[in-house]
C-alpha cells in the first residue's frame, strides 16, 4: 500500500465498521478508494500460523463479497492469532488480548507504510 489515501475497515466476529467508503452516484462514476480490510476471526476459527490472505470462519462470506465488489482495490487480511480458549490451558481473555495485540501491530505497520497517523 503506497497510496496516502486509504480506507481502513475493521471487522470483528460481531461488529462490522468501516471508514473511507465511497458513495455511488447514479450518473457519476465513483472512484475506487483502496481499502485495507482487517478481519478478526472468532474463537477456534484461526490460529497464530494462519495465512492472513485466506478468508476463514463466519466472516469469510463478508470478505468474499468485498473482494467481488471491489477487486484489487480491497486488501483482505484475516488476522492470525491464538484463537483458542480453555482447551489449551489459556483463557478467552488471553485469546482476546492476543488478537488485540496482533491487530494493533498490523495497523501500526500499515499506518507507517501510508504515512497516516490517528489521534493528536
Amino acid at each position: 500500500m503506497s497510496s496516502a489515501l486509504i480506507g481502513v475497515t475493521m471487522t470483528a466476529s460481531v461488529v462490522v465498521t468501516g471508514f473511507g467508503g465511497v458513495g455511488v452516484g447514479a450518473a457519476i462514476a465513483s472512484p475506487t478508494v483502496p481499502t485495507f480490510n482487517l478481519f478478526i476471526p472468532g474463537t477456534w476459527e484461526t490460529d497464530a500460523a494462519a495465512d492472513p490472505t485466506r478468508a476463514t470462519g463466519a466472516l469469510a462470506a463478508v470478505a468474499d463479497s468485498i473482494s467481488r465488489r471491489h477487486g484489487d482495490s480491497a486488501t483482505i487480511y484475516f488476522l492470525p492469532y491464538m484463537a483458542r480458549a480453555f482447551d489449551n490451558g489459556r483463557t478467552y481473555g488471553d485469546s482476546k488480548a492476543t488478537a488485540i495485540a496482533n491487530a494493533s501491530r498490523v495497523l501500526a505497520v500499515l499506518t507507517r507504510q501510508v504515512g497516516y497517523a490517528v489521534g493528536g
Side-chain angles (χ1 to χ4, degrees):
M1 300 267 156
S2 61
S3 171
L5 177 60
I6 187 165
V8 176
T9 302
M10 289 196 59
T11 308
S13 292
V14 183
V15 180
V16 177
T17 61
F19 169 77
V22 177
V24 177
I28 301 171
S30 62
T32 302
V33 176
T35 61
F36 179 83
N37 301 271
L38 173 61
F39 290 85
I40 303 176
T43 307
W44 293 289
E45 291 183 334
T46 192
D47 60 57
D51 177 356
T53 64
R54 186 178 156 269
T56 186
L59 296 171
V62 176
D64 292 344
S65 177
I66 290 170
S67 289
R68 278 192 306 276
R69 290 188 72 185
H70 301 284
D72 291 340
S73 70
T75 299
I76 304 296
Y77 188 95
F78 271 74
L79 186 73
Y81 74 102
M82 190 272 305
R84 294 175 51 194
F86 310 115
D87 66 330
N88 61 346
R90 306 283 296 273
T91 67
Y92 173 77
D94 295 335
S95 177
K96 181 178 175 181
T98 302
I100 291 169
N102 290 4
S104 295
R105 278 192 293 277
V106 167
L107 293 175
V109 168
L110 176 68
T111 57
R112 281 193 300 273
Q113 288 175 346
V114 299
Y116 181 80
V118 178

